[in-house]
Amino acid sequence: MAKDNVYKHIRLTGTSSKSIEDAVNNAVKRANKTLRELRWFQVVETRGSVDGDHVSQWQVTVEIGFHLEG
């Protein structure tokens, strides 16, 4: 019999001077320090900073879902 789970999600913004993917990974890694049972993420918004003629920082807002225990 399948178990009916309940999930909660939070919104975080990760940053990186390297890439969008690195910014997402930074947000997930940080969430994992204080939350358990992380299950999924969804990119909600992508933006960045420009310095002269190049991107100096990526900012990626993600929703991260996690399973509620008990």
Side-chain angles (χ1 to χ4, degrees), residues 25-67:
N25 280 321
N26 288 340
V28 170
K29 285 178 186 177
R30 180 58 185 91
N32 194 53
K33 288 183 178 183
T34 56
L35 300 171
R36 293 189 301 266
E37 302 292 333
L38 300 183
R39 296 288 191 235
W40 55 265
F41 76 90
Q42 176 181 353
V43 174
V44 177
E45 183 176 27
T46 305
R47 61 187 174 280
S49 300
V50 176
D51 184 11
D53 64 349
H54 68 280
V55 174
S56 60
Q57 184 181 62
W58 293 97
Q59 302 165 354
V60 181
T61 300
V62 294
E63 284 189 2
I64 298 176
F66 55 98
H67 174 246

Side-chain angles (χ1 to χ4, degrees), residues 12-29:
L12 299 171
T13 300
T15 63
S16 171
S17 59
K18 296 178 185 176
S19 68
I20 293 170
E21 183 177 350
D22 201 40
V24 171
N25 280 321
N26 288 340
V28 170
K29 285 178 186 177

